[in-house]
Amino acid sequence: MGGDSAPEVVLEGVERALEADPLLTVLLVGAASVVEPFAAAHAGRVVAAAASEVIGMDEHPAQAVRDKKDSSIVVGCRLVKDGQAQGFFSAGSTGACMAAGTLIIGRVRGVSRPAIASVLPAPSAPVILLDVGANADVKPEYLVQFAQMAVIYAQRIMGVANPRVGLLNIGEEETKGSVLAQETFGLLREKVEGFAGNAEGTDLLNGRFDVIVTDGFTGNVTLKAIEGVADVLFGQLKAVLTATTVRKLAASVIKPGLKQLKKSLSADEVGGAPLLGLKASCIIGHGSSNAKAIANGIAVTARCSREKVSETIAAAVD
């Protein structure tokens, strides 16, 4: 029931995910009038889990999770807690997914704060940026755990054997930045294998780092700034290339290359942002997710479960 175009786009995404993965079973949570007919049409692959309530994007996340016990997000997380499902995916309220995941699925023992990791579709190779909104106020030891969890995700899901870890800062030197940044630098160097120093804003997409850690406030602003710049640039590029007949003809020649570029930078290819530090896989999709993004989000949730990302994080933290 989550997302700007739910439930239709979610159902289409589930169908795509099922076609791509013959071993996948989906527990579809939502209004009975939506999930039951779909499950009947996909018997053996889809199980209906009716939920009478929906948490809106404008509701206070934690309060809504407490008040709406039969909301689709709460019911979905409860299915994971009870062992009926191995992972949870939603394109609904990020805050509600985070609150339900933390309160119901539960944190890995020893993890101080779960963190939302966003996989930036950089041109050379994807970059994991975290935290992007779960923790506005952090301590140095939190950032160390963020880095440790992201390294495991990079290895198991992104296929990066030896991830290079960076700390988002205003300069390369270890003496730069706030007191938090300077203290974190020393801890990362001591406790995180693969720590490669400070990452400046220009390093976010240039391939120098595979993982970049920061607090949730800075990470969220950074992520939305990147998304906003990309939207403006593609919009301006389209306007320039369609302004005259001659430019339109030129655009037709480079159109395949532009499509390839847009695809390489599309968040739809990633599918969603993992909430790392929980006892089971939890992937949060973008509210504007299309069917392709939904399918990819479901796929990465399943892969996290199969690759035992949560269990590996638990062992590492322990």
Side-chain angles (χ1 to χ4, degrees):
M1 309 305 292
D4 300 340
S5 303
E8 292 79 12
V9 73
V10 177
L11 299 180
E12 184 182 345
V14 170
E15 286 189 325
R16 291 191 184 191
L18 293 171
E19 290 173 3
D21 185 349
L23 299 179
L24 177 70
T25 300
V26 173
L27 281 73
L28 192 63
V29 189
S33 60
V34 174
V35 300
E36 290 177 354
F38 188 86
H42 300 79
R45 301 293 308 282
V46 177
V47 178
S52 61
E53 298 174 301
V54 175
I55 295 177
M57 293 290 191
D58 58 341
E59 296 186 65
H60 187 281
Q63 192 62 47
V65 166
R66 293 188 181 95
D67 293 344
K68 293 187 172 181
K69 303 296 186 182
D70 202 44
S71 63
S72 52
I73 288 175
V74 171
V75 171
C77 288
R78 194 181 302 128
L79 288 170
V80 176
K81 180 185 179 181
D82 294 343
Q84 297 181 58
Q86 283 69 56
F88 174 80
F89 170 80
S90 175
S93 164
T94 297
C97 289
M98 186 180 71
T102 303
L103 294 172
I104 299 171
I105 297 175
R107 286 180 292 152
V108 165
R109 179 181 176 182
V111 169
S112 300
R113 297 286 189 277
I116 301 176
S118 180
V119 181
L120 304 179
S124 56
V127 177
I128 300 174
L129 174 68
L130 79 168
D131 181 22
V132 294
N135 306 278
D137 298 304
V138 299
K139 298 178 181 178
E141 52 266 33
Y142 297 174
L143 294 177
V144 171
Q145 281 196 342
F146 295 171
Q148 292 170 336
M149 294 190 295
V151 164
I152 292 169
Y153 189 85
Q155 291 171 331
R156 293 296 183 98
I157 303 302
M158 310 304 297
V160 182
N162 299 296
R164 297 158 297 174
V165 179
L167 172 66
L168 191 60
N169 207 335
I170 58 173
E172 291 187 3
E173 299 83 2
E174 62 179 283
T175 55
K176 287 292 183 70
S178 62
V179 173
L180 170 67
Q182 293 177 38
E183 291 180 0
T184 302
F185 187 100
L187 283 178
L188 287 170
R189 182 170 54 190
E190 176 186 345
K191 297 186 176 183
V192 176
E193 186 176 353
F195 179 59
N198 284 329
E200 298 184 81
T202 52
D203 295 318
L204 286 165
L205 303 175
N206 66 9
R208 183 182 169 196
F209 298 94
D210 302 298
V211 172
I212 297 177
V213 294
T214 187
D215 63 272
F217 182 91
T218 304
N220 190 273
V221 172
T222 300
L223 177 63
K224 289 178 178 176
I226 292 173
E227 293 174 342
V229 169
D231 287 342
V232 170
L233 286 178
F234 274 108
Q236 290 296 308
L237 183 61
K238 182 178 180 180
V240 169
L241 293 176
T242 58
T244 66
T245 302
V246 173
R247 290 180 183 177
K248 288 179 182 178
L249 291 172
S252 66
V253 176
I254 63 172
K255 188 175 181 180
L258 291 176
K259 283 188 174 182
Q260 184 178 358
L261 174 62
K262 189 173 183 180
K263 181 181 178 180
S264 70
L265 297 175
S266 174
D268 296 340
E269 302 296 322
V270 176
L275 180 57
L276 300 177
L278 299 187
K279 294 178 180 178
S281 306
C282 181
I283 306 295
I284 305 172
H286 202 287
S288 61
S289 293
N290 56 24
K292 183 177 184 180
I294 296 290
N296 286 336
I298 295 170
V300 76
T301 307
R303 189 175 178 194
C304 283
S305 298
R306 288 167 177 156
E307 293 291 332
K308 301 186 181 302
V309 170
S310 295
E311 292 87 340
T312 306
I313 287 174
V317 172
D318 185 61

